[in-house]
């Protein structure tokens, strides 16, 4: 019986090389998709760059969230990125001066609602950022400084429930004002500007470090 293992491996390698992968700084106000929703005129990713056919977003960022989003023409990459071993880090601006107690609660897990059911988030990394991170302006003020102080924190999770970060900060008494994803695995937002697209030649290498 002929050995077909090697040709199959070569074929798989060629297919991988033919796929394209990107990272993008998703701006505020864009949907993480290419196909418009019925009766909704929202901005889509395809307006930002001439992506090749069959490009898809891996995971998503909400309409009002910003930052790092990965895109690919290889649907199998989605499973790899959504694995619980892959960290996702967010910089979060919250309303008020966040307390040590709130940070501790976030680290240990908090109760949020997921599809109408109570859910305890997994333990995560959370800490206060000593200074405001250098991020692209969102186009308008998040809030007037006269309305009180705000805090910037970092939250790193390995799961991704719908609007999870916003629900987590609300659960400890601090509403999220701005949410920016800055890292997925070892892929960083670096100094990208809003709407900027960067091609990732070696997706597996940059994701896993």
């Amino acid at each position: 019986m002929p050995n077909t293992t090697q040709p199959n491996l070569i074929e798989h390698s060629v297919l991988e090389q033919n796929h394209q992968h990107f990272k993008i700084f998703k701006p505020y106000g864009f949907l993480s998709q290419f196909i418009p929703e019925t009766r909704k005129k929202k901005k889509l990713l395809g307006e930002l760059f001439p992506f090749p056919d069959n490009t898809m977003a891996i995971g998503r960022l909400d309409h009002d969230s910003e930052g790092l989003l990965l895109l690919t023409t290889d649907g199998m990459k989605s499973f790899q990125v959504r694995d619980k071993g892959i960290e996702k880090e967010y910089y979060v601006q919250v309303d008020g001066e966040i307390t040590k107690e709130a940070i501790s609660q976030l680290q240990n897990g908090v109760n949020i609602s997921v599809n109408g059911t109570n859910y305890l988030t997994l333990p995560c990394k959370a800490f206060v950022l000593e200074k405001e991170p250098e991020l692209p302006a969102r186009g308008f003020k998040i809030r007037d400084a006269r309305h009180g102080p705000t805090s910037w924190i970092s939250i790193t999770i390995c799961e991704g429930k719908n609007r999870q970060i916003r629900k987590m900060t609300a659960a400890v008494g601090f509403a999220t004002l701005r949410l920016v994803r800055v890292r997925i695995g070892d892929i960083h937002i670096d100094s990208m500007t809003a709407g900027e697209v960067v091609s990732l030649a070696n997706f597996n290498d940059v994701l896993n470090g």
Side-chain angles (χ1 to χ4, degrees):
M1 183 174 181
N3 186 347
T4 59
T5 301
Q6 188 63 27
N8 286 341
L9 287 174
I10 294 174
E11 182 180 353
H12 176 72
S13 177
V14 170
L15 287 173
E16 276 209 341
Q17 291 174 12
N18 289 335
H19 282 295
Q20 297 183 58
H21 317 290
F22 308 89
K23 69 175 181 178
I24 183 174
F25 191 121
K26 188 193 87 66
Y28 177 88
F30 278 74
L31 296 179
S32 299
Q33 59 194 57
F34 290 86
I35 300 175
E37 296 180 349
T38 305
R39 298 180 181 178
K40 290 185 179 181
K41 294 183 179 179
K42 297 289 182 70
K43 297 177 181 179
L44 304 175
L45 298 177
E47 300 175 36
L48 299 170
F49 187 81
F51 293 103
D53 293 340
N54 301 318
T55 301
M56 65 192 77
I58 302 177
R60 60 172 298 190
L61 285 172
D62 297 321
H63 168 271
D64 48 354
S65 299
E66 310 160 68
L68 183 60
L69 186 66
L70 302 181
L71 301 100
T72 182
T73 58
D74 182 0
M76 295 303 295
K77 296 300 181 188
S78 179
F79 296 100
Q80 182 180 351
V81 174
R82 286 156 51 192
D83 184 273
K84 285 190 176 181
I86 302 297
E87 293 185 336
K88 288 85 176 176
E89 183 178 7
Y90 300 80
Y91 286 169
V92 192
Q93 184 182 21
V94 298
D95 187 7
E97 294 183 357
I98 197 163
T99 63
K100 292 181 179 179
E101 291 77 14
I103 292 293
S104 179
Q105 287 178 285
L106 292 171
Q107 292 170 340
N108 293 321
V110 295
N111 288 299
I112 63 173
S113 176
V114 177
N115 297 324
T117 302
N118 185 64
Y119 176 77
L120 178 63
T121 61
L122 297 174
C124 70
K125 300 175 184 176
F127 59 90
V128 177
L129 296 173
E130 294 184 359
K131 61 180 181 179
E132 181 175 340
E134 295 183 3
L135 296 168
R138 206 172 79 169
F140 57 91
K141 287 185 177 180
I142 305 300
R143 59 174 289 176
D144 194 302
R146 292 174 296 180
H147 293 162
T150 66
S151 307
W152 278 94
I153 61 176
S154 166
I155 300 179
T156 301
I157 60 176
C158 292
E159 51 184 339
K161 305 299 182 183
N162 184 39
R163 299 182 74 81
Q164 178 171 337
I165 298 293
R166 295 178 185 277
K167 292 177 181 179
M168 288 173 66
T169 66
V172 298
F174 295 86
T176 290
L177 301 175
R178 188 179 184 189
L179 179 61
V180 184
R181 184 159 63 196
V182 296
R183 179 174 64 87
I184 300 174
D186 286 303
I187 300 176
H188 295 255
I189 201 71
D190 297 320
S191 57
M192 292 177 69
T193 57
E196 183 179 355
V197 178
V198 174
S199 179
L200 299 173
N202 300 306
F203 185 91
N204 291 333
D205 292 343
V206 294
L207 180 65
N208 300 314

